[in-house]
């Protein structure tokens, strides 16, 4: 009942905030909507047509309106200019005093993503602009830790938290080392030895120290690291056993504008402080009949807008990916679900974005990390469209007004997978260069 009353209060807040929201665009779409639900809660239904909010478009306001990215940007996009950068697989950004701090899932020791279970760590990289390019600053949580989701806390014991998986314990015999081309040196131990080990965190100091597992004693549990400084040190949060989240893979936290913490961790949970107690709110699952049947979904990112609740996913078709050697231009890479109240959820049949990215290059200069599909030349720059083999770990950046401004993904720079297994484009990431892409979202009002 407490959770239900809280969610009812949130619905009232959403209704009031919608009156104040100034992010609506004139992007017109479907002639047959009957309610805002038909507009994916990214627009409103007026006279049978969806009027989409800024940043969204299409007949049901279900498609992100993404802008070209500058080259180079993000983290690791142009390896030739950052020889010391590690391959990375997404992250998210916190802005402070005019500087942008991104916490990325990096793969240490020059290895590719195939070594992620052994070599993943959370690196803190910085830039003076939101799109970068970012440069390495320090390691926030050491190996092994993965899929960072940093948040700014409100009226809490700590200022910042990073939700992640694995607890930052370094087991040196299991860590891989690679040659500059990414090929692996012989490992010092096998998987079986690592997986049979009880990885209760017992270390102190920066980079994930602090003694004791956050959400259980198993090495593979998801964790929460906390700090009062973006430069660390970060320590694993200590919570009472009955105050913790259940075990889940890739937790998706969200700090509501009123300071309440939510986390999609299998189901939806909420807490007043980072230490909990965390209590279940809803199952956060749509009717399965609404999803395209072949889509596999993972890597959730939870967020709210004045219209309601949303989750972005990485999506794929494991049994229907292009066979080895096919290009990846039409790969399914994203999915979206939404809810007015956080209890009843709906799924979009449209992917919010795809595998093709427009990149601005100075005219006549620079190469690309991939093969371009076509080029449009201008006076000062040219736009090249390239295909990424897969685009995962979605995160959104929001400005101080709550407007989404950028989409972040871990992407594989290969446009096709001639050497991939039968799963095709999705698994190309394990043996090709990957980097973290930050793509701006259109903010202007436009006619669709």
């Amino acid at each position: 009942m407490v959770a239900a009353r809280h969610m009812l209060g949130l619905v009232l807040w959403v209704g009031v905030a919608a009156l104040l929201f100034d992010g609506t665009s004139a992007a017109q779409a479907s002639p047959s909507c009957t309610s805002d639900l038909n507009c994916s809660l990214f627009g409103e239904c007026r006279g049978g047509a969806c009027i989409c909010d800024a940043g969204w478009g299409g007949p049901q306001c279900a498609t992100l309106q993404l802008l070209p990215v500058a080259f180079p940007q993000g983290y690791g996009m142009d390896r030739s200019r950052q020889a010391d950068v590690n391959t990375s697989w997404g992250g998210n950004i916190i802005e402070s005093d005019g500087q942008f701090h991104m916490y990325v899932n990096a793969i240490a020791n020059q290895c590719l993503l195939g070594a992620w279970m052994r070599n993943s760590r959370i690196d803190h990289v910085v830039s003076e602009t939101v799109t970068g390019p970012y440069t390495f600053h320090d390691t926030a949580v050491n190996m092994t830790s993965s899929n960072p989701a940093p948040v700014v806390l409100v009226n809490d014991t700590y200022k910042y938290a990073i939700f992640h998986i694995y607890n930052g314990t370094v087991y040196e015999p299991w860590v891989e080392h690679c040659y500059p081309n990414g090929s692996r040196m012989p490992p010092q131990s096998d998987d079986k030895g690592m997986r049979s080990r009880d990885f209760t965190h017992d270390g102190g100091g920066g980079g994930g120290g602090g003694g004791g597992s956050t959400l259980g004693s198993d090495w593979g549990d998801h964790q929460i690291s906390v700090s009062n400084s973006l430069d660390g040190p970060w320590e694993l949060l200590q919570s009472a056993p009955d105050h913790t989240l259940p075990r889940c893979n890739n937790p998706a936290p969200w700090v509501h504008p009123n300071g309440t913490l939510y986390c999609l961790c299998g189901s939806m949970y909420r807490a007043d402080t980072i230490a909990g107690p965390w209590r279940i709110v809803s199952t956060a699952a749509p009717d399965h009949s609404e999803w395209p049947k072949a889509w596999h979904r993972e890597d959730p990112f939870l967020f709210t807008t004045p219209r309601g609740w949303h989750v972005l996913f990485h999506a794929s078709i494991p049994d229907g990916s292009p066979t080895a050697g096919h290009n990846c231009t039409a790969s399914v890479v994203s999915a979206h679900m939404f809810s007015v109240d956080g209890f009843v959820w709906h799924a979009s049949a449209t992917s919010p974005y795809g595998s093709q990215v427009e990149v601005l290059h100075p005219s006549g200069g620079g190469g690309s990390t991939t093969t371009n599909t076509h080029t449009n030349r201008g006076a000062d720059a040219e736009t090249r469209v390239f295909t990424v083999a897969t685009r995962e770990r979605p995160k959104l950046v929001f400005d101080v007004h709550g407007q989404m401004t950028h989409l972040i993904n871990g992407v594989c720079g290969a446009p096709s997978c001639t050497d991939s297994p039968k799963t095709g484009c999705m698994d190309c990431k394990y043996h090709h260069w990957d980097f973290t892409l930050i793509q701006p979202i259109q903010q202007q009002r436009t006619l669709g």
Side-chain angles (χ1 to χ4, degrees):
M1 288 300 294
V2 172
R5 286 197 297 271
H6 182 86
M7 292 296 285
L8 177 60
L10 176 61
V11 172
L12 294 175
W13 175 88
V14 167
V16 172
L19 298 176
L20 303 176
F21 185 56
D22 192 31
T24 302
S25 77
Q28 185 174 347
S30 171
S32 59
C33 66
T34 58
S35 74
D36 291 355
L37 281 175
N38 301 132
C39 306
S40 309
L41 295 183
F42 284 133
E44 57 184 309
C45 185
R46 294 181 185 175
C50 286
I51 309 298
C52 300
D53 297 338
W56 293 87
Q60 295 180 311
C61 303
T63 306
L64 261 176
Q65 304 298 289
L66 296 170
L67 298 174
V69 301
F71 181 87
Q73 62 100 269
Y75 188 60
M77 186 180 195
D78 186 6
R79 195 179 187 186
S80 66
R81 303 188 192 188
Q82 291 181 296
D84 58 342
V85 72
N86 285 304
T87 193
S88 65
W89 198 235
N92 211 345
I93 295 167
I94 294 175
E95 181 184 3
S96 177
D97 297 327
Q99 189 170 47
F100 296 89
H101 302 255
M102 184 161 62
Y103 298 87
V104 296
N105 186 168
I107 311 301
N109 301 336
Q110 305 182 97
C111 294
L112 300 178
L113 195 63
W116 78 270
M117 282 195 69
R118 299 172 183 263
N119 285 36
S120 282
R121 71 185 189 198
I122 299 170
D123 279 356
H124 172 204
V125 298
V126 297
S127 172
E128 294 183 355
T129 64
V130 64
T131 54
Y134 284 75
T135 58
F136 176 82
H137 187 273
D138 59 70
T139 295
V141 187
N142 214 335
M143 298 176 282
T144 299
S145 58
S146 181
N147 199 11
V151 295
V152 179
L153 303 176
V154 179
N155 297 324
D156 212 319
T157 305
Y158 299 92
K159 292 182 179 179
Y160 309 103
I162 302 175
F163 289 67
H164 54 92
I165 55 176
Y166 310 135
N167 66 12
T169 297
V170 179
Y171 180 52
E172 287 295 344
W174 201 62
V175 172
E176 292 204 41
H177 296 267
C178 297
Y179 299 102
N181 65 358
S183 61
R184 300 179 185 182
M185 299 179 187
Q188 299 179 51
S189 68
D190 59 21
D191 290 2
K192 182 178 179 181
M194 178 65 168
R195 291 172 182 170
S196 65
R197 185 179 172 88
D198 179 12
F199 274 77
T200 303
H201 197 288
D202 59 1
S213 177
T214 308
L215 303 172
S217 61
D218 191 294
W219 171 84
D221 283 352
H222 53 272
Q223 311 287 334
I224 303 173
S225 290
V226 290
S227 179
N228 282 313
S229 169
L230 292 171
D231 294 327
W234 296 85
E235 61 183 38
L236 289 176
L237 177 67
Q238 302 301 298
S239 295
D242 61 345
H243 283 197
T244 62
L245 286 161
R247 296 181 65 176
C248 69
N249 188 36
N250 293 343
W254 177 252
V255 180
H256 191 271
N258 66 15
T260 303
L261 289 157
Y262 290 88
C263 188
L264 185 59
C265 185
S267 296
M268 176 93 78
Y269 294 81
R270 66 170 294 274
D272 294 324
T273 67
I274 192 66
W278 291 87
R279 298 292 182 251
I280 190 168
V281 172
S282 76
T283 57
D287 184 337
H288 287 286
S289 65
E290 296 187 29
W291 292 109
K293 295 186 185 307
W295 287 12
H296 168 74
R297 301 169 306 281
E298 62 174 0
D299 300 347
F301 177 76
L302 172 70
F303 63 102
T304 58
T305 70
R307 300 189 190 280
W309 296 78
H310 301 267
V311 183
L312 290 181
F313 296 92
H314 164 240
S316 61
I317 307 177
D319 296 327
S321 295
T323 56
H326 286 197
N327 69 51
C328 305
T329 56
S331 295
V332 172
V333 295
S334 64
H336 169 229
M337 74 177 188
F338 52 94
S339 171
V340 172
D341 57 11
F343 291 103
V344 180
W345 290 82
H346 306 272
S348 174
T350 301
S351 288
Y353 54 90
S355 60
Q356 293 190 293
V357 181
E358 288 187 309
V359 180
L360 290 173
H361 290 257
S363 288
S368 174
T369 57
T370 64
T371 300
N372 302 295
T373 57
H374 67 261
T375 300
N376 298 319
R377 297 184 184 277
D380 300 315
E382 58 189 33
T383 302
R384 303 177 184 177
V385 179
F386 72 89
T387 298
V388 293
T390 185
R391 188 172 188 175
E392 306 182 16
R393 299 275 176 93
K395 303 283 194 301
L396 290 171
V397 180
F398 293 80
D399 65 17
V400 294
H401 305 293
Q403 176 66 29
M404 61 190 76
T405 62
H406 294 79
L407 170 69
I408 303 176
N409 294 102
V411 302
C412 175
S416 62
C417 292
T418 57
D419 53 353
S420 70
K422 66 178 181 179
T423 49
C425 298
M426 183 177 65
D427 285 343
C428 208
K429 61 194 176 192
Y430 294 117
H431 45 274
H432 288 270
W433 180 253
D434 303 317
F435 61 94
T436 298
L437 181 76
I438 306 170
Q439 188 162 9
I441 299 171
Q442 182 173 287
Q443 302 297 305
Q444 294 83 2
R445 298 181 174 187
T446 58
L447 289 172

